[in-house]
Amino acid sequence: MSDLPTSAQFSAIGEGYSADAGNSQSLKADAYVRQEWFAADQREIIAKSWQWVCHVEKLRAPGSFFTVEIAGQPIAVVRDREGRLRAFYNVCKHRAHELLKGEGSTTRIMCPYHAWVYKLDGQLVRAPETEHLDNFSTGEICLDQVQVEEFAGFVYVNLDPSAASLAEQSGNLETEIRHWAPDIDQLTFGHRLTYDIKSNWKNVVDNFLECYHCPTAHKDFCDLVDMDTYKVTTHGIYSSHMADAGKSANSAYDVSNATVRTHAVWWLWPTTCLMRYPGRSSMIVLNIIPVGPARTLETYDFFLETPEPNEAELDAIRYLDEVLQVEDISLVESVQRGMNTPAFTQGRIVNDPTGSGKSEHAVHHFHGLVLEAYAGAGR
Protein backbone atom coordinates (compact mmCIF):
# COMPACT_ATOMS: atom_id res chain seq x y z
CA MET A 1 0.00 0.00 0.00
CA SER A 2 1.38 3.46 -0.88
CA ASP A 3 2.18 6.18 1.61
CA LEU A 4 -0.71 8.01 3.20
CA PRO A 5 -1.37 11.72 2.57
CA THR A 6 0.74 14.18 4.54
CA SER A 7 -0.63 16.09 7.54
CA ALA A 8 -0.91 19.17 5.31
CA GLN A 9 -2.90 17.19 2.73
CA PHE A 10 -5.22 15.86 5.44
CA SER A 11 -5.80 19.44 6.61
CA ALA A 12 -6.44 20.77 3.11
CA ILE A 13 -8.81 18.04 1.87
CA GLY A 14 -11.76 19.52 3.78
CA GLU A 15 -11.46 23.03 2.36
CA GLY A 16 -14.75 24.22 0.91
CA TYR A 17 -16.84 21.75 2.92
CA SER A 18 -19.29 23.35 5.36
CA ALA A 19 -21.45 21.71 8.02
CA ASP A 20 -24.31 23.62 6.37
CA ALA A 21 -25.41 21.53 3.40
CA GLY A 22 -26.93 24.63 1.82
CA ASN A 23 -23.56 26.37 1.73
CA SER A 24 -21.09 23.59 1.06
CA GLN A 25 -18.78 22.29 -1.61
CA SER A 26 -18.32 18.57 -2.19
CA LEU A 27 -15.34 16.46 -1.23
CA LYS A 28 -12.30 17.37 -3.32
CA ALA A 29 -11.46 15.37 -6.45
CA ASP A 30 -8.06 14.35 -5.06
CA ALA A 31 -9.84 12.06 -2.59
CA TYR A 32 -11.34 10.18 -5.56
CA VAL A 33 -8.37 9.88 -7.88
CA ARG A 34 -5.07 9.72 -5.97
CA GLN A 35 -3.52 6.50 -4.69
CA GLU A 36 -2.58 7.96 -1.31
CA TRP A 37 -6.21 8.81 -0.60
CA PHE A 38 -7.29 5.31 -1.55
CA ALA A 39 -4.71 4.05 0.98
CA ALA A 40 -6.23 6.40 3.55
CA ASP A 41 -9.71 5.05 2.75
CA GLN A 42 -8.58 1.46 3.26
CA ARG A 43 -6.80 2.15 6.54
CA GLU A 44 -8.97 4.84 8.13
CA ILE A 45 -12.45 3.96 6.80
CA ILE A 46 -12.82 0.38 5.56
CA ALA A 47 -10.56 -1.20 8.20
CA LYS A 48 -12.26 0.75 11.01
CA SER A 49 -15.93 0.40 10.09
CA TRP A 50 -18.56 -2.35 10.18
CA GLN A 51 -18.48 -4.27 6.92
CA TRP A 52 -21.28 -6.48 5.61
CA VAL A 53 -20.49 -10.21 5.30
CA CYS A 54 -23.66 -12.24 4.62
CA HIS A 55 -27.21 -13.06 5.69
CA VAL A 56 -27.52 -14.92 9.00
CA GLU A 57 -28.84 -17.98 7.12
CA LYS A 58 -25.25 -18.74 6.05
CA LEU A 59 -24.08 -18.97 9.67
CA ARG A 60 -27.02 -20.37 11.65
CA ALA A 61 -25.73 -23.88 12.38
CA PRO A 62 -22.76 -24.72 14.64
CA GLY A 63 -19.75 -25.37 12.40
CA SER A 64 -20.95 -23.15 9.56
CA PHE A 65 -18.36 -20.75 8.19
CA PHE A 66 -18.06 -17.95 5.65
CA THR A 67 -14.91 -16.26 4.34
CA VAL A 68 -14.50 -12.71 3.09
CA GLU A 69 -11.83 -10.11 2.36
CA ILE A 70 -12.04 -6.77 4.19
CA ALA A 71 -9.62 -3.93 3.40
CA GLY A 72 -7.38 -6.50 1.73
CA GLN A 73 -7.39 -8.75 4.80
CA PRO A 74 -8.65 -12.39 4.72
CA ILE A 75 -11.35 -13.00 7.35
CA ALA A 76 -13.24 -16.16 8.35
CA VAL A 77 -16.52 -16.04 10.29
CA VAL A 78 -17.52 -19.22 12.15
CA ARG A 79 -20.42 -20.37 14.34
CA ASP A 80 -18.76 -22.35 17.15
CA ARG A 81 -20.12 -25.46 18.90
CA GLU A 82 -21.83 -23.37 21.59
CA GLY A 83 -23.60 -21.26 18.97
CA ARG A 84 -21.41 -18.20 19.38
CA LEU A 85 -20.44 -16.25 16.28
CA ARG A 86 -16.69 -15.72 15.93
CA ALA A 87 -14.44 -14.07 13.36
CA PHE A 88 -10.70 -14.49 12.82
CA TYR A 89 -7.98 -13.49 10.45
CA ASN A 90 -8.07 -16.45 8.07
CA VAL A 91 -4.36 -17.10 8.59
CA CYS A 92 -2.58 -20.05 10.22
CA LYS A 93 -0.31 -19.12 13.15
CA HIS A 94 2.37 -21.52 11.86
CA ARG A 95 3.34 -20.31 8.38
CA ALA A 96 0.46 -17.96 7.49
CA HIS A 97 -1.37 -20.26 5.06
CA GLU A 98 -5.08 -19.64 4.39
CA LEU A 99 -7.21 -21.83 6.66
CA LEU A 100 -10.78 -21.88 5.30
CA LYS A 101 -11.97 -21.28 1.76
CA GLY A 102 -15.35 -20.10 0.51
CA GLU A 103 -18.24 -21.15 2.74
CA GLY A 104 -19.51 -24.38 4.24
CA SER A 105 -19.56 -26.42 7.43
CA THR A 106 -16.79 -28.01 9.49
CA THR A 107 -16.17 -29.51 12.91
CA ARG A 108 -12.68 -28.04 13.14
CA ILE A 109 -10.33 -25.66 11.37
CA MET A 110 -7.40 -27.54 9.84
CA CYS A 111 -4.67 -25.81 7.90
CA PRO A 112 -4.21 -27.48 4.48
CA TYR A 113 -0.46 -26.78 4.57
CA HIS A 114 0.84 -28.62 7.69
CA ALA A 115 -2.39 -29.88 9.29
CA TRP A 116 -2.35 -27.64 12.34
CA VAL A 117 -5.83 -28.00 13.84
CA TYR A 118 -7.85 -25.31 15.62
CA LYS A 119 -11.15 -25.56 17.46
CA LEU A 120 -14.02 -23.46 16.19
CA ASP A 121 -13.21 -20.91 18.89
CA GLY A 122 -9.77 -20.43 17.33
CA GLN A 123 -7.75 -22.33 19.92
CA LEU A 124 -4.93 -24.52 18.54
CA VAL A 125 -5.39 -28.14 19.65
CA ARG A 126 -3.00 -30.13 17.43
CA ALA A 127 0.30 -29.40 15.70
CA PRO A 128 1.93 -32.51 14.20
CA GLU A 129 5.55 -33.31 15.03
CA THR A 130 5.90 -30.58 17.66
CA GLU A 131 6.26 -32.87 20.71
CA HIS A 132 10.01 -32.29 21.03
CA LEU A 133 9.98 -28.50 20.60
CA ASP A 134 11.12 -26.38 23.53
CA ASN A 135 8.85 -23.60 24.80
CA PHE A 136 5.93 -24.69 22.62
CA SER A 137 2.38 -25.27 23.85
CA THR A 138 -0.73 -25.54 21.72
CA GLY A 139 -2.68 -23.99 24.58
CA GLU A 140 -0.82 -20.72 24.13
CA ILE A 141 -1.71 -20.31 20.45
CA CYS A 142 -5.02 -18.95 19.19
CA LEU A 143 -6.18 -17.37 15.96
CA ASP A 144 -6.34 -13.57 15.99
CA GLN A 145 -9.95 -12.57 16.57
CA VAL A 146 -11.94 -9.85 14.84
CA GLN A 147 -15.13 -8.16 16.03
CA VAL A 148 -18.28 -9.74 14.60
CA GLU A 149 -21.94 -8.90 15.09
CA GLU A 150 -25.39 -10.03 14.00
CA PHE A 151 -27.45 -7.01 13.05
CA ALA A 152 -30.92 -6.81 11.48
CA GLY A 153 -30.69 -10.25 9.87
CA PHE A 154 -27.14 -9.90 8.60
CA VAL A 155 -23.57 -10.49 9.80
CA TYR A 156 -20.96 -7.72 9.93
CA VAL A 157 -17.30 -7.61 10.98
CA ASN A 158 -15.00 -4.79 12.07
CA LEU A 159 -11.20 -5.06 11.96
CA ASP A 160 -10.84 -2.30 14.57
CA PRO A 161 -10.69 -3.95 18.02
CA SER A 162 -11.60 -0.66 19.72
CA ALA A 163 -14.67 0.11 17.58
CA ALA A 164 -18.02 0.44 19.34
CA SER A 165 -20.63 -2.16 18.44
CA LEU A 166 -22.70 -1.64 15.31
CA ALA A 167 -25.88 -1.64 17.40
CA GLU A 168 -24.45 1.18 19.52
CA GLN A 169 -23.13 3.22 16.60
CA SER A 170 -26.24 2.96 14.43
CA GLY A 171 -28.90 4.23 16.81
CA ASN A 172 -32.41 3.33 15.62
CA LEU A 173 -31.38 1.72 12.33
CA GLU A 174 -32.25 -1.87 13.27
CA THR A 175 -35.63 -0.81 14.65
CA GLU A 176 -36.31 1.08 11.42
CA ILE A 177 -35.29 -1.83 9.18
CA ARG A 178 -37.37 -4.34 11.16
CA HIS A 179 -40.39 -2.03 11.03
CA TRP A 180 -40.36 -2.10 7.23
CA ALA A 181 -38.97 -5.66 6.87
CA PRO A 182 -40.20 -7.65 9.89
CA ASP A 183 -39.42 -10.97 8.19
CA ILE A 184 -35.82 -10.10 7.28
CA ASP A 185 -34.35 -13.05 9.27
CA GLN A 186 -36.54 -15.52 7.36
CA LEU A 187 -35.65 -14.32 3.87
CA THR A 188 -33.38 -16.56 1.82
CA PHE A 189 -30.74 -15.96 -0.84
CA GLY A 190 -32.19 -15.91 -4.35
CA HIS A 191 -29.77 -14.27 -6.79
CA ARG A 192 -26.49 -12.33 -7.08
CA LEU A 193 -25.42 -9.72 -9.62
CA THR A 194 -21.76 -8.60 -9.79
CA TYR A 195 -20.14 -5.57 -11.38
CA ASP A 196 -16.58 -4.34 -11.92
CA ILE A 197 -16.69 -0.55 -12.18
CA LYS A 198 -14.02 1.89 -13.37
CA SER A 199 -14.69 4.41 -10.64
CA ASN A 200 -13.70 5.24 -7.08
CA TRP A 201 -15.94 3.69 -4.43
CA LYS A 202 -16.91 7.12 -3.07
CA ASN A 203 -18.34 8.10 -6.46
CA VAL A 204 -20.47 4.95 -6.32
CA VAL A 205 -21.74 5.89 -2.84
CA ASP A 206 -22.35 9.51 -3.87
CA ASN A 207 -24.47 8.38 -6.80
CA PHE A 208 -26.47 5.99 -4.62
CA LEU A 209 -27.24 8.66 -2.04
CA GLU A 210 -29.10 11.15 -4.23
CA CYS A 211 -31.97 11.04 -6.67
CA TYR A 212 -31.28 14.54 -8.00
CA HIS A 213 -30.07 12.70 -11.12
CA CYS A 214 -33.10 10.40 -11.37
CA PRO A 215 -35.44 12.52 -13.51
CA THR A 216 -32.62 12.96 -16.04
CA ALA A 217 -30.89 9.57 -15.93
CA HIS A 218 -33.51 7.10 -14.56
CA LYS A 219 -36.85 7.91 -16.17
CA ASP A 220 -38.11 4.33 -15.58
CA PHE A 221 -37.27 4.55 -11.89
CA CYS A 222 -39.28 7.77 -11.58
CA ASP A 223 -42.36 5.81 -12.68
CA LEU A 224 -41.57 2.91 -10.35
CA VAL A 225 -41.70 5.15 -7.28
CA ASP A 226 -43.78 8.24 -6.52
CA MET A 227 -41.07 10.92 -6.60
CA ASP A 228 -43.38 13.39 -4.83
CA THR A 229 -43.21 11.16 -1.73
CA TYR A 230 -39.43 10.55 -1.89
CA LYS A 231 -37.78 11.66 1.36
CA VAL A 232 -34.17 11.24 2.50
CA THR A 233 -33.23 11.51 6.18
CA THR A 234 -29.70 11.41 7.60
CA HIS A 235 -28.83 10.00 11.02
CA GLY A 236 -25.43 9.41 12.60
CA ILE A 237 -23.80 6.73 10.43
CA TYR A 238 -26.75 5.97 8.13
CA SER A 239 -29.40 7.55 5.96
CA SER A 240 -32.90 6.35 5.04
CA HIS A 241 -34.53 6.86 1.64
CA MET A 242 -38.29 6.34 1.51
CA ALA A 243 -40.92 6.61 -1.20
CA ASP A 244 -44.31 5.14 -2.04
CA ALA A 245 -44.64 2.84 -5.03
CA GLY A 246 -45.81 4.57 -8.19
CA LYS A 247 -49.57 4.56 -8.74
CA SER A 248 -49.58 4.19 -12.52
CA ALA A 249 -48.13 1.69 -14.97
CA ASN A 250 -44.38 1.91 -15.30
CA SER A 251 -41.74 0.73 -17.73
CA ALA A 252 -39.40 -0.70 -15.05
CA TYR A 253 -41.31 -3.75 -13.81
CA ASP A 254 -44.90 -4.58 -12.84
CA VAL A 255 -45.84 -3.74 -9.23
CA SER A 256 -49.62 -3.87 -9.69
CA ASN A 257 -49.85 -6.97 -7.45
CA ALA A 258 -47.17 -5.88 -4.99
CA THR A 259 -47.65 -6.75 -1.32
CA VAL A 260 -44.82 -4.35 -0.39
CA ARG A 261 -45.87 -0.87 -1.49
CA THR A 262 -42.99 1.16 -0.04
CA HIS A 263 -39.58 1.82 -1.55
CA ALA A 264 -37.46 1.65 1.61
CA VAL A 265 -33.69 2.02 1.29
CA TRP A 266 -30.93 2.48 3.85
CA TRP A 267 -27.28 3.37 3.43
CA LEU A 268 -25.00 2.28 6.28
CA TRP A 269 -21.57 3.89 6.59
CA PRO A 270 -19.50 3.35 4.62
CA THR A 271 -20.30 0.71 1.97
CA THR A 272 -23.54 -1.17 2.74
CA CYS A 273 -26.82 -0.37 0.96
CA LEU A 274 -30.04 -2.18 1.93
CA MET A 275 -33.00 -1.93 -0.45
CA ARG A 276 -36.59 -3.08 -0.16
CA TYR A 277 -38.23 -2.45 -3.51
CA PRO A 278 -41.99 -2.65 -4.21
CA GLY A 279 -43.11 -6.23 -4.90
CA ARG A 280 -43.00 -9.34 -2.72
CA SER A 281 -41.19 -9.19 0.59
CA SER A 282 -37.45 -9.00 -0.15
CA MET A 283 -34.20 -7.26 0.70
CA ILE A 284 -31.48 -6.39 -1.77
CA VAL A 285 -28.00 -5.83 -0.33
CA LEU A 286 -25.59 -3.77 -2.39
CA ASN A 287 -22.07 -4.29 -1.07
CA ILE A 288 -19.57 -1.74 -2.40
CA ILE A 289 -16.00 -3.07 -2.37
CA PRO A 290 -13.12 -0.62 -2.93
CA VAL A 291 -10.36 -2.18 -5.06
CA GLY A 292 -8.31 0.78 -6.26
CA PRO A 293 -8.49 4.56 -6.75
CA ALA A 294 -10.49 4.03 -9.94
CA ARG A 295 -11.90 0.53 -9.46
CA THR A 296 -14.83 -0.72 -7.40
CA LEU A 297 -16.55 -4.09 -7.22
CA GLU A 298 -20.26 -4.36 -6.45
CA THR A 299 -22.36 -7.32 -5.44
CA TYR A 300 -26.16 -7.16 -5.45
CA ASP A 301 -27.59 -10.00 -3.35
CA PHE A 302 -31.34 -10.59 -3.55
CA PHE A 303 -32.91 -12.12 -0.42
CA LEU A 304 -36.43 -13.32 -1.15
CA GLU A 305 -39.36 -15.23 0.34
CA THR A 306 -38.29 -18.28 -1.71
CA PRO A 307 -34.95 -19.36 -3.22
CA GLU A 308 -36.39 -19.03 -6.70
CA PRO A 309 -37.42 -15.53 -7.82
CA ASN A 310 -41.01 -15.24 -9.04
CA GLU A 311 -41.84 -13.69 -12.40
CA ALA A 312 -42.08 -10.14 -11.05
CA GLU A 313 -38.76 -10.54 -9.21
CA LEU A 314 -37.08 -11.85 -12.34
CA ASP A 315 -38.35 -8.71 -14.09
CA ALA A 316 -36.99 -6.57 -11.23
CA ILE A 317 -33.60 -8.29 -11.42
CA ARG A 318 -33.55 -7.82 -15.19
CA TYR A 319 -34.48 -4.13 -14.81
CA LEU A 320 -31.78 -3.52 -12.22
CA ASP A 321 -29.13 -5.39 -14.23
CA GLU A 322 -29.96 -4.32 -17.77
CA VAL A 323 -31.28 -0.80 -17.21
CA LEU A 324 -30.61 0.82 -13.83
CA GLN A 325 -27.06 -0.46 -13.37
CA VAL A 326 -26.12 0.28 -16.97
CA GLU A 327 -27.25 3.86 -16.41
CA ASP A 328 -25.54 4.25 -13.02
CA ILE A 329 -22.24 2.67 -14.05
CA SER A 330 -22.07 4.95 -17.09
CA LEU A 331 -22.66 7.94 -14.79
CA VAL A 332 -20.00 7.14 -12.18
CA GLU A 333 -17.39 6.13 -14.75
CA SER A 334 -17.94 9.45 -16.55
CA VAL A 335 -17.61 11.31 -13.24
CA GLN A 336 -14.36 9.46 -12.49
CA ARG A 337 -12.93 10.47 -15.87
CA GLY A 338 -13.97 14.08 -15.25
CA MET A 339 -12.36 14.15 -11.82
CA ASN A 340 -9.05 13.17 -13.44
CA THR A 341 -9.01 16.38 -15.49
CA PRO A 342 -7.75 19.82 -14.38
CA ALA A 343 -11.27 21.15 -15.03
CA PHE A 344 -12.72 19.85 -11.74
CA THR A 345 -11.63 20.32 -8.14
CA GLN A 346 -14.95 20.13 -6.29
CA GLY A 347 -18.58 21.03 -6.91
CA ARG A 348 -21.48 22.67 -5.09
CA ILE A 349 -23.80 20.51 -2.98
CA VAL A 350 -27.41 21.01 -4.09
CA ASN A 351 -29.55 20.93 -0.96
CA ASP A 352 -33.33 20.92 -0.52
CA PRO A 353 -34.15 21.84 3.11
CA THR A 354 -37.33 19.74 2.93
CA GLY A 355 -35.25 16.56 2.51
CA SER A 356 -36.62 15.50 -0.86
CA GLY A 357 -35.04 12.75 -2.92
CA LYS A 358 -33.97 15.34 -5.49
CA SER A 359 -31.37 16.74 -3.10
CA GLU A 360 -27.75 15.98 -2.24
CA HIS A 361 -27.91 16.37 1.53
CA ALA A 362 -27.20 12.64 2.05
CA VAL A 363 -24.09 13.01 -0.15
CA HIS A 364 -23.06 15.94 2.06
CA HIS A 365 -23.67 13.77 5.15
CA PHE A 366 -21.42 11.04 3.67
CA HIS A 367 -18.67 13.55 2.88
CA GLY A 368 -18.81 14.77 6.47
CA LEU A 369 -18.21 11.23 7.73
CA VAL A 370 -15.32 10.78 5.29
CA LEU A 371 -13.71 14.03 6.44
CA GLU A 372 -14.23 13.05 10.07
CA ALA A 373 -12.32 9.80 9.41
CA TYR A 374 -9.58 11.72 7.62
CA ALA A 375 -9.33 14.24 10.48
CA GLY A 376 -8.69 11.40 12.93
CA ALA A 377 -5.87 10.12 10.72
CA GLY A 378 -4.30 13.51 10.18
CA ARG A 379 -3.96 14.35 13.88
Side-chain angles (χ1 to χ4, degrees):
M1 189 175 284
S2 71
D3 292 339
L4 293 170
T6 64
S7 294
Q9 287 174 309
F10 273 118
S11 298
I13 198 68
E15 291 172 358
Y17 176 88
S18 167
D20 176 8
N23 188 32
S24 182
Q25 297 284 333
S26 66
L27 192 59
K28 286 187 174 179
D30 276 357
Y32 295 80
V33 301
R34 296 183 65 88
Q35 177 64 35
E36 62 265 33
W37 286 107
F38 177 74
D41 289 349
Q42 289 288 79
R43 196 182 83 170
E44 301 299 329
I45 297 177
I46 305 303
K48 294 184 178 180
S49 58
W50 288 95
Q51 294 288 310
W52 183 83
V53 175
C54 62
H55 190 277
V56 292
E57 72 171 348
K58 295 286 189 182
L59 291 161
R60 281 202 176 107
S64 55
F65 68 87
F66 195 94
T67 62
V68 67
E69 186 176 290
I70 304 293
Q73 303 300 312
I75 304 298
V77 185
V78 178
R79 181 78 67 179
D80 71 16
R81 289 176 181 273
E82 287 70 44
R84 181 178 172 184
L85 205 57
R86 297 180 180 273
F88 315 99
Y89 283 93
N90 191 19
V91 175
C92 184
K93 302 298 285 185
H94 174 222
R95 293 271 297 282
H97 196 280
E98 178 184 55
L99 292 167
L100 295 169
K101 203 170 190 67
E103 60 182 273
S105 181
T106 187
T107 57
R108 60 182 183 171
I109 301 170
M110 186 173 79
C111 181
Y113 195 7
H114 298 100
W116 281 33
V117 177
Y118 303 82
K119 293 194 295 185
L120 298 180
D121 64 2
Q123 179 65 54
L124 181 67
V125 291
R126 181 175 177 270
E129 312 303 331
T130 59
E131 297 83 359
H132 306 296
L133 296 183
D134 294 331
N135 302 313
F136 180 86
S137 169
T138 57
E140 295 176 358
I141 298 175
C142 189
L143 299 177
D144 288 15
Q145 301 211 21
V146 170
Q147 288 206 74
V148 61
E149 190 169 339
E150 292 181 51
F151 181 86
F154 296 101
V155 175
Y156 295 80
V157 297
N158 194 322
L159 304 189
D160 182 0
S162 63
S165 72
L166 180 52
E168 181 182 342
Q169 287 190 39
S170 61
N172 293 324
L173 176 59
E174 181 162 15
T175 301
E176 197 172 316
I177 291 172
R178 290 188 181 279
H179 170 77
W180 293 103
D183 60 346
I184 192 166
D185 299 276
Q186 281 70 54
L187 297 176
T188 188
F189 176 76
H191 193 76
R192 168 172 279 195
L193 298 172
T194 60
Y195 305 94
D196 193 334
I197 302 170
K198 298 180 184 69
S199 181
N200 186 270
W201 72 276
K202 295 186 295 297
N203 268 328
V204 176
V205 174
D206 287 349
N207 182 70
F208 182 86
L209 289 176
E210 52 93 352
C211 222
Y212 181 39
H213 70 281
C214 292
T216 306
H218 301 315
K219 291 183 169 36
D220 296 318
F221 181 81
C222 292
D223 292 331
L224 177 65
V225 303
D226 182 352
M227 289 300 294
D228 291 338
T229 66
Y230 203 125
K231 294 291 180 186
V232 179
T233 311
T234 61
H235 319 256
I237 63 164
Y238 77 96
S239 55
S240 58
H241 307 243
M242 302 288 176
D244 295 337
K247 296 181 176 64
S248 57
N250 72 82
S251 52
Y253 65 94
D254 184 14
V255 295
S256 58
N257 295 317
T259 52
V260 172
R261 300 293 304 172
T262 302
H263 171 80
V265 172
W266 299 269
W267 167 78
L268 173 61
W269 163 261
T271 53
T272 305
C273 307
L274 306 167
M275 298 172 276
R276 191 166 167 89
Y277 278 17
R280 255 199 328 178
S281 182
S282 66
M283 186 66 75
I284 308 167
V285 180
L286 162 57
N287 189 29
I288 297 167
I289 305 165
V291 178
R295 186 179 176 212
T296 301
L297 299 181
E298 284 185 339
T299 58
Y300 273 82
D301 284 345
F302 293 76
F303 297 95
L304 311 171
E305 292 181 17
T306 58
E308 293 299 323
N310 65 18
E311 187 174 344
E313 287 161 348
L314 288 172
D315 278 346
I317 292 167
R318 174 204 54 77
Y319 164 68
L320 200 154
D321 185 36
E322 298 178 9
V323 180
L324 198 60
Q325 276 297 94
V326 172
E327 293 166 345
D328 275 331
I329 290 171
S330 176
L331 293 172
V332 298
E333 290 186 342
S334 177
V335 168
Q336 188 70 27
R337 291 192 297 271
M339 284 185 169
N340 270 292
T341 71
F344 184 84
T345 302
Q346 60 190 148
R348 185 63 183 258
I349 294 290
V350 176
N351 178 58
D352 177 358
T354 69
S356 80
K358 291 181 281 189
S359 171
E360 296 176 325
H361 59 286
V363 177
H364 175 263
H365 171 242
F366 168 53
H367 291 180
L369 291 171
V370 170
L371 289 171
E372 189 178 309
Y374 289 168
R379 282 196 285 269

